[in-house]
């Protein structure tokens, strides 16, 4: 039986470890082509991709800084030119800088806001119109995760 998901490509942000890696591997096991995002740890992202291929899946790596709007747009436009419209996006990447409010440093606050909140806009903006267009008869799926931290 042919895999119904074989032509469906999904982007998983933060796929280099933890929950993102688990999402990427499970998506691959379900037959999706998984584009594994990472920012700083290419070695860990390569481990995710190795796990995907070991499970019989397919995918590739993409590197960009989700808190940098211009970097996101440039890299995601290149990805779209190569692959066309994505079937799905799993917004998973995030950071934790836990502390009491009075103990939280300004730089930690800014990092959390830029990575955990701005990234939603930065990643989806270049991709969502293609997914929602009338030309895209397949529809699209967006999953966004958040931490309770």
């Amino acid at each position: 039986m042919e895999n119904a998901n074989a032509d469906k490509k999904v982007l998983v942000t933060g796929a280099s470890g933890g929950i993102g890696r688990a999402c990427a591997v499970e998506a691959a096991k379900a037959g999706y082509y998984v584009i594994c995002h990472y920012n700083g740890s290419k070695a860990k992202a390569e481990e995710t991709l190795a796990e995907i291929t070991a499970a019989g899946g397919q995918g590739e790596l993409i590197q960009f800084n989700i808190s940098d709007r211009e970097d996101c747009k440039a890299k995601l436009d290149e990805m779209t030119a190569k692959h066309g419209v994505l079937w799905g996006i799993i917004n998973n990447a995030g950071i934790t800088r836990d502390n009491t409010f009075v103990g939280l440093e300004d730089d930690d606050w800014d990092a959390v806001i830029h990575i955990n909140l701005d990234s939603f806009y930065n990643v989806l903006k270049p991709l969502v119109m293609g997914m929602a267009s009338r030309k895209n008869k397949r529809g699209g799926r967006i999953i966004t995760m958040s931490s309770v931290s």
Side-chain angles (χ1 to χ4, degrees), residues 82-135:
K82 178 180 177 182
H83 290 292
V85 175
L86 293 179
W87 185 84
I89 303 164
I90 300 174
N91 282 316
N92 164 74
I95 62 167
T96 302
R97 298 289 192 266
D98 283 344
N99 206 336
T100 63
F101 185 76
V102 296
L104 194 63
E105 297 295 328
D106 292 349
D107 289 344
D108 289 336
W109 173 263
D110 291 341
V112 168
I113 294 300
H114 293 309
I115 292 171
N116 294 0
L117 296 179
D118 290 347
S119 64
F120 174 83
Y121 180 85
N122 296 345
V123 171
L124 291 182
K125 176 91 170 153
L127 300 174
V128 76
M129 287 307 294
M131 292 173 74
S133 77
R134 289 185 178 176
K135 293 178 187 176

Side-chain angles (χ1 to χ4, degrees), residues 2-145:
E2 194 170 307
N3 182 352
N5 297 326
D7 68 335
K8 295 179 179 175
K9 295 175 176 70
V10 297
L11 169 68
V12 180
T13 65
S16 59
I19 295 169
R21 177 177 287 176
C23 289
V25 171
E26 289 304 312
K29 286 179 182 176
Y32 298 97
Y33 184 93
V34 182
I35 302 166
C36 302
H37 160 264
Y38 71 96
N39 184 35
S41 182
K42 185 175 184 179
K44 288 186 178 187
E46 288 171 337
E47 290 172 10
T48 300
L49 191 55
E51 204 171 318
I52 285 170
T53 57
Q58 293 183 315
E60 66 186 71
L61 302 180
I62 186 170
Q63 187 281 329
F64 58 89
N65 180 347
I66 61 172
S67 66
D68 181 331
R69 188 166 296 144
E70 288 76 28
D71 192 32
C72 283
K73 181 167 179 15
K75 300 285 179 56
L76 294 172
D77 284 351
E78 285 176 26
M79 182 197 68
T80 301
K82 178 180 177 182
H83 290 292
V85 175
L86 293 179
W87 185 84
I89 303 164
I90 300 174
N91 282 316
N92 164 74
I95 62 167
T96 302
R97 298 289 192 266
D98 283 344
N99 206 336
T100 63
F101 185 76
V102 296
L104 194 63
E105 297 295 328
D106 292 349
D107 289 344
D108 289 336
W109 173 263
D110 291 341
V112 168
I113 294 300
H114 293 309
I115 292 171
N116 294 0
L117 296 179
D118 290 347
S119 64
F120 174 83
Y121 180 85
N122 296 345
V123 171
L124 291 182
K125 176 91 170 153
L127 300 174
V128 76
M129 287 307 294
M131 292 173 74
S133 77
R134 289 185 178 176
K135 293 178 187 176
N136 181 22
K137 304 285 186 209
R138 300 179 308 162
R141 309 296 182 268
I142 299 170
I143 299 170
T144 299
M145 296 184 219

